[in-house]
Amino acid sequence: MTTTSPAAQRTGGLRTGVQRFGTFLSGMIMPNIPALIAWGIITAFFIPVGWTPNDQLSTLVGPIIHYLLPIIIAYTGGTIVYKTRGGVVAAIAVMGAIAGSDYLIAQVNATLPADNQLGQIHMFIGAMIMAPLAAYSMKWLDSLWDGKIKAGFEMLVNMFSAGIWGFVLVVIGFYPVAWLVNGLMNVLSTAVNWLVETNLLPLTSILIEPAKVFFLNNAINHGVLTPLGTQQAAESGKSILFLLEANPGPGVGLLLAFTIFGIGAARASAPGAAVIQFVGGIHEVYFPFALMKPVLILALIAGGMTGVTTNMLFGTGLIAPAAPGSIIAVLGQTFRTDYLGVILSVILSAAVTFVISMIILRASRKKDLAKEDAFAAAVAQTEANKGKSSDALSGLAAKAAGAAAAGAAVATDRRIENVVFACDAGMGSSAMGASVLRNKFKKAGVEGVTVTNQAIANLDGTADLVITQQQLTDRAKAQSPNSIHVSVDNFMNSPKYEEVVEMVRDQRKETP
């Protein structure tokens, strides 16, 4: 059992709050990435500068990004909060923001010359505002008359209440929300344009790279970069902003450095992690390697800045978000004339991160080797993955370790039949971890255990055991407090998987 100081709790609470906010944004955006990809393909082929220009099919570009994408984002956000009812009211509400934005821009354009007109502002941020506002308020209103409606009038009240409240929200979206979002987008666009014009855009890596390692990137990526990048892509056909966070170069550079200059289990697992990160696009697999030795974040920042600088020099960008951040997805969304610059940005960012990581790892190699001892292989692997021994065996512990009794006590209190891997989006890294544990159960001959993956926000308390990466465990506990929780540093290869398998196997022996 470990304790946390009040200062650490405050820090963790702030981080957890930002993570939760980023997760909600991610939950609205990620399921709709296929629509963004489809829009990107249409743009790549059919706009005047596309691969196969087509005046008729190019008319799809505007309506999809201006109406379809914000509406389905709002609907998705509403369903997260209040299922279908929340989604429908949110979709109604965001139309007010879309129409209000168009009206405000039309008023300004009426005062401008014909050759200097403002373009449309696409309501991605408006959808992210209206969705929770609409769904939470509808949920609260329904609670006011829950159980107080006479039998036979439920449908009538439900339909009219949602319709009337949707009308109110349309008006709210048309005036204050549209005004707010238009102003915010103008400020953000001006800031980004200033960074580009002053050649300071690479400085964004100072914020983005550490945010990724601490699982705080979703708020930046989905809250700012995706809306602004989509706006730019709609106007010019591409955007460099899609490459600020998705570039797989820094991560693979770090993992290659561990492959050659690392020690112990970190070195052994780095090659597989590099393939998964670079080809599969699951960036989370390199986060534990950076957290082992936080000074390595400097290498990631330098690599990220190198990639952004390269893209600026070549004027390159993507036509739509690359999700996941795989080299395949990045190349698939690259503007048709920009392959050289994008490929060089990935290679050079990987090379810079590799060189700086190599210097850091070699400089500390003697010290790292001196820390190795004769602990059991599982402990050594945990230490290598985490970079320290304290807290490494918290949660479920091996029976041979000192915390075995606590682990065994938990095991006998609840029969493990439903294991859930949870991460921010419920895809990628959690799916990989679920697959690894599923295979371990199969090899051990353990049956009757379901292993699935889902987003933390979707945890409903039915899981017997929830496995998360350490930085996300607090949120998972809040979402599913009655489940057993296990924290791991690396979904791909954690010694705690063996402990889980052993515990479940022992349960089956004791209770046939």
Side-chain angles (χ1 to χ4, degrees), residues 193-409:
N193 290 335
W194 179 79
L195 289 172
V196 172
E197 291 170 0
T198 56
N199 297 319
L200 295 177
L201 193 62
L203 294 180
T204 58
S205 296
I206 297 174
L207 176 64
I208 291 173
E209 295 302 331
K212 289 177 68 174
V213 171
F214 290 101
F215 295 87
L216 303 176
N217 58 311
N218 281 327
I220 298 171
N221 190 26
H222 300 303
V224 179
L225 297 181
T226 295
L228 285 177
T230 305
Q231 187 81 26
Q232 287 188 357
E235 296 170 357
S236 60
K238 62 183 178 181
S239 175
I240 189 176
L241 301 182
F242 292 138
L243 285 163
L244 298 186
E245 193 265 349
N247 183 354
V252 77
L254 176 69
L255 293 170
L256 289 176
F258 269 96
T259 299
I260 300 173
F261 302 103
I263 62 171
R267 180 175 183 175
S269 59
V275 174
I276 291 171
Q277 187 266 344
F278 192 65
V279 180
I282 303 174
H283 288 212
E284 289 94 331
V285 297
Y286 77 78
F287 298 171
F289 292 85
L291 291 173
M292 282 177 57
K293 198 178 293 293
V295 70
L296 289 169
I297 295 176
L298 296 176
L300 294 170
I301 292 173
M305 294 176 69
T306 301
V308 176
T309 301
T310 304
N311 284 311
M312 287 184 63
L313 291 174
F314 281 84
T316 51
L318 303 187
I319 58 177
S326 157
I327 186 62
I328 297 173
V330 168
L331 293 178
Q333 299 289 12
T334 298
F335 190 73
R336 65 186 183 91
T337 60
D338 292 355
Y339 286 99
L340 176 62
V342 170
I343 292 172
L344 277 177
S345 74
V346 175
I347 293 174
L348 293 177
S349 61
V352 169
T353 301
F354 174 84
V355 171
I356 296 177
S357 299
M358 173 193 70
I359 295 171
I360 293 171
L361 290 175
R362 286 181 63 86
S364 61
R365 184 175 180 83
K366 185 175 181 180
K367 181 179 178 181
D368 292 339
L369 287 171
K371 290 181 180 179
E372 289 194 333
D373 51 33
F375 284 140
V379 178
Q381 186 172 18
T382 305
E383 287 179 334
N385 282 340
K386 188 168 180 61
K388 60 181 180 180
S389 57
S390 60
D391 299 332
L393 299 179
S394 60
L396 291 176
K399 286 194 173 182

Side-chain angles (χ1 to χ4, degrees), residues 145-219:
W145 49 74
D146 185 35
K148 301 175 183 178
I149 304 171
K150 290 185 178 181
F153 289 88
E154 294 90 351
M155 181 177 292
L156 181 67
V157 172
N158 286 340
M159 294 302 175
F160 272 86
S161 62
I164 293 170
W165 189 239
F167 158 75
V168 173
L169 290 169
V170 161
V171 176
I172 293 173
F174 193 96
Y175 288 109
V177 174
W179 178 85
L180 173 66
V181 174
N182 277 17
L184 180 61
M185 287 295 289
N186 284 332
V187 170
L188 292 175
S189 298
T190 301
V192 170
N193 290 335
W194 179 79
L195 289 172
V196 172
E197 291 170 0
T198 56
N199 297 319
L200 295 177
L201 193 62
L203 294 180
T204 58
S205 296
I206 297 174
L207 176 64
I208 291 173
E209 295 302 331
K212 289 177 68 174
V213 171
F214 290 101
F215 295 87
L216 303 176
N217 58 311
N218 281 327

Side-chain angles (χ1 to χ4, degrees), residues 32-46 57 60-61 64-65 68-69 72 319-321 333:
N32 297 305
I33 288 294
L36 278 164
I37 292 173
W39 173 80
I41 294 172
I42 292 170
T43 302
F45 278 93
F46 302 134
L57 291 175
L60 289 167
V61 173
I64 289 176
I65 191 167
L68 174 64
L69 291 175
I72 62 176
I319 58 177
Q333 299 289 12

